[in-house]
């Protein structure tokens, strides 16, 4: 469930033609995602997909104008990175066979239970992690190497320039301890080594990470706790 904190920064597209199901599921999704775009048919869903660039699609199979499988095929013609979860009814299970080549990240049988939804979203998250180069630092914190953003407990944490440079230096060297001299040269290449500036930067970064990830190695320098710093797509 903790992995789902990252969804608070993401946009979801949800397509369902049944009004009651659409209303109930929309309420849940709005609690999980930053934004939720809702469509009542496949055509509307595809228009929203083109206009809003959602981060994940959750769609029913049977819908008017354009069914869920047709919608997915249209999207997959030029986008194989979008995570997609397909919803079906028990009497539609045979239709799922037709989705075998559409790279679906999860299937939900209606009526959808909350634990089933969260499990499917967790599986779908793996595709998001791989696409954006997300590094998981701890159960509640992630660093996006593509956007240079730190997320902690579902919120974006603003890093100063030197804090970001320090974090990336440590991430690039998780296999070893980085000496104080190396850190000083990387962060202040034109200035003489200043012990207080280095310690203050370490202190500020530690406060912004939700775990004590930065370990001081006495007399040498600093390293990241490699038991906590690992790629998120290696875990459930």
């Amino acid at each position: 469930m903790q992995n789902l904190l990252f969804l608070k920064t993401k946009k979801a597209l949800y397509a369902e033609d049944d009004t009651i199901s659409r209303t109930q599921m929309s309420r849940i999704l709005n609690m999980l995602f930053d934004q939720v775009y809702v469509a009542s048919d496949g055509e509307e869903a595809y228009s929203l997909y083109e206009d809003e660039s959602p981060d994940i699609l959750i769609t029913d199979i049977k819908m008017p104008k354009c069914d869920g499988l047709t919608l997915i095929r249209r999207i997959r013609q030029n986008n194989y990175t979008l995570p997609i979860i397909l919803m079906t009814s028990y009497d539609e299970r045979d239709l799922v066979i037709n989705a075998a080549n559409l790279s679906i990240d999860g299937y939900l049988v209606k009526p959808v239970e909350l634990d089933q939804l969260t499990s499917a979203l967790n599986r779908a998250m793996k595709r998001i992690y791989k696409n954006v180069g997300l590094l998981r630092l701890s159960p509640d914190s992630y660093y996006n190497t593509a956007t240079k953003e730190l997320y902690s407990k579902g919120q974006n944490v603003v890093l100063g320039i030197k804090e970001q440079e320090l974090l990336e230096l440590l991430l690039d060297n998780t296999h070893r301890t980085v000496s104080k001299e190396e850190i000083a040269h990387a962060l202040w290449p034109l200035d003489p080594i200043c012990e207080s500036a280095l310690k203050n930067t370490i202190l500020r970064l530690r406060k912004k990470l939700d775990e004590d990830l930065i370990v001081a190695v006495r007399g040498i320098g600093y390293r990241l706790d490699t038991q906590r710093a690992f790629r998120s797509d290696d875990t459930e």
Side-chain angles (χ1 to χ4, degrees), residues 54-67:
D55 299 295
I56 188 170
L57 168 66
I58 304 165
T59 181
D60 189 21
I61 285 188
K62 290 185 176 180
M63 294 185 294
K65 297 184 181 179
C66 170
D67 63 69

Side-chain angles (χ1 to χ4, degrees), residues 146-202:
T147 63
K148 310 297 183 184
E149 293 175 313
L150 174 66
Y151 299 97
S152 179
K153 297 180 180 178
Q155 302 296 320
N156 177 245
V157 178
V158 179
L159 293 175
I161 294 175
K162 297 305 178 184
E163 296 161 10
Q164 180 179 311
E165 291 176 352
L166 174 60
L167 178 57
E168 293 200 342
L169 178 64
L170 294 175
L171 283 169
D172 288 340
N173 294 277
T174 53
H175 60 290
R176 68 184 184 92
T177 298
V178 184
S179 70
K180 295 178 182 179
E181 291 76 16
E182 287 180 274
I183 296 173
H185 180 72
L187 272 59
W188 300 278
L190 302 179
D191 300 326
I193 295 177
C194 179
E195 188 85 12
S196 61
L198 192 154
K199 286 185 176 179
N200 286 335
T201 304
I202 292 283

Side-chain angles (χ1 to χ4, degrees), residues 22 38 50 52 54 65 76 97 101 107 110 112 114 117 123 149 151 153 155 170 192 194 226:
R22 188 170 63 245
V38 180
E50 289 190 311
E52 306 298 341
K65 297 184 181 179
R76 286 291 186 240
I97 298 175
N101 296 321
Y107 298 90
K110 298 188 291 184
V112 178
L114 180 59
L117 174 62
R123 290 192 297 271
E149 293 175 313
Y151 299 97
K153 297 180 180 178
Q155 302 296 320
L170 294 175
C194 179
T226 54

Side-chain angles (χ1 to χ4, degrees), residues 21-34:
S21 298
R22 188 170 63 245
T23 301
Q24 292 175 340
M25 181 68 80
S26 295
R27 289 173 181 167
I28 297 173
L29 294 175
N30 272 296
M31 291 188 292
L32 297 173
F33 289 88
D34 179 45

Side-chain angles (χ1 to χ4, degrees), residues 5-235:
L5 292 170
F6 181 56
L7 296 181
K8 291 300 293 183
T9 67
K10 296 300 177 183
K11 301 181 293 184
L13 172 57
Y14 170 52
E16 167 65 70
D17 65 315
D18 181 77
T19 303
I20 296 177
S21 298
R22 188 170 63 245
T23 301
Q24 292 175 340
M25 181 68 80
S26 295
R27 289 173 181 167
I28 297 173
L29 294 175
N30 272 296
M31 291 188 292
L32 297 173
F33 289 88
D34 179 45
Q35 289 181 282
V36 179
Y37 305 103
V38 180
S40 57
D41 61 67
E43 285 292 343
E44 183 183 8
Y46 190 76
S47 294
L48 285 169
Y49 160 74
E50 289 190 311
D51 294 341
E52 306 298 341
S53 300
D55 299 295
I56 188 170
L57 168 66
I58 304 165
T59 181
D60 189 21
I61 285 188
K62 290 185 176 180
M63 294 185 294
K65 297 184 181 179
C66 170
D67 63 69
L69 294 181
T70 302
L71 168 64
I72 296 170
R73 288 192 188 98
R74 291 176 68 181
I75 292 174
R76 286 291 186 240
Q77 286 178 359
N78 54 23
N79 187 339
Y80 255 85
T81 63
L82 180 72
I84 296 177
I85 295 175
L86 188 63
M87 296 187 301
T88 70
S89 298
Y90 280 105
D91 60 355
E92 296 169 350
R93 283 176 294 179
D94 291 341
L95 294 176
V96 173
I97 298 175
N98 296 321
N101 296 321
L102 295 177
S103 190
I104 305 299
D105 296 274
Y107 298 90
L108 293 171
V109 177
K110 298 188 291 184
V112 178
E113 300 292 336
L114 180 59
D115 60 340
Q116 295 172 335
L117 174 62
T118 54
S119 294
L121 289 172
N122 264 321
R123 290 192 297 271
M125 286 298 294
K126 290 186 177 182
R127 188 189 293 262
I128 297 178
Y129 291 146
K130 291 175 182 177
N131 294 338
V132 301
L134 198 72
L135 294 175
R136 185 179 183 185
L137 305 179
S138 74
D140 287 337
S141 62
Y142 305 84
Y143 183 68
N144 189 324
T145 60
T147 63
K148 310 297 183 184
E149 293 175 313
L150 174 66
Y151 299 97
S152 179
K153 297 180 180 178
Q155 302 296 320
N156 177 245
V157 178
V158 179
L159 293 175
I161 294 175
K162 297 305 178 184
E163 296 161 10
Q164 180 179 311
E165 291 176 352
L166 174 60
L167 178 57
E168 293 200 342
L169 178 64
L170 294 175
L171 283 169
D172 288 340
N173 294 277
T174 53
H175 60 290
R176 68 184 184 92
T177 298
V178 184
S179 70
K180 295 178 182 179
E181 291 76 16
E182 287 180 274
I183 296 173
H185 180 72
L187 272 59
W188 300 278
L190 302 179
D191 300 326
I193 295 177
C194 179
E195 188 85 12
S196 61
L198 192 154
K199 286 185 176 179
N200 286 335
T201 304
I202 292 283
L203 181 61
R204 291 197 304 271
L205 182 57
R206 275 178 166 161
K207 287 182 177 180
K208 293 183 178 182
L209 295 172
D210 66 331
E211 299 282 347
D212 190 12
L213 296 169
I214 302 176
V215 178
V217 181
R218 189 172 182 177
I220 301 177
Y222 299 89
R223 64 175 177 82
L224 280 182
D225 184 346
T226 54
Q227 296 302 310
R228 294 184 181 276
F230 53 91
R231 288 194 175 276
S232 56
D233 56 0
D234 289 339
T235 64

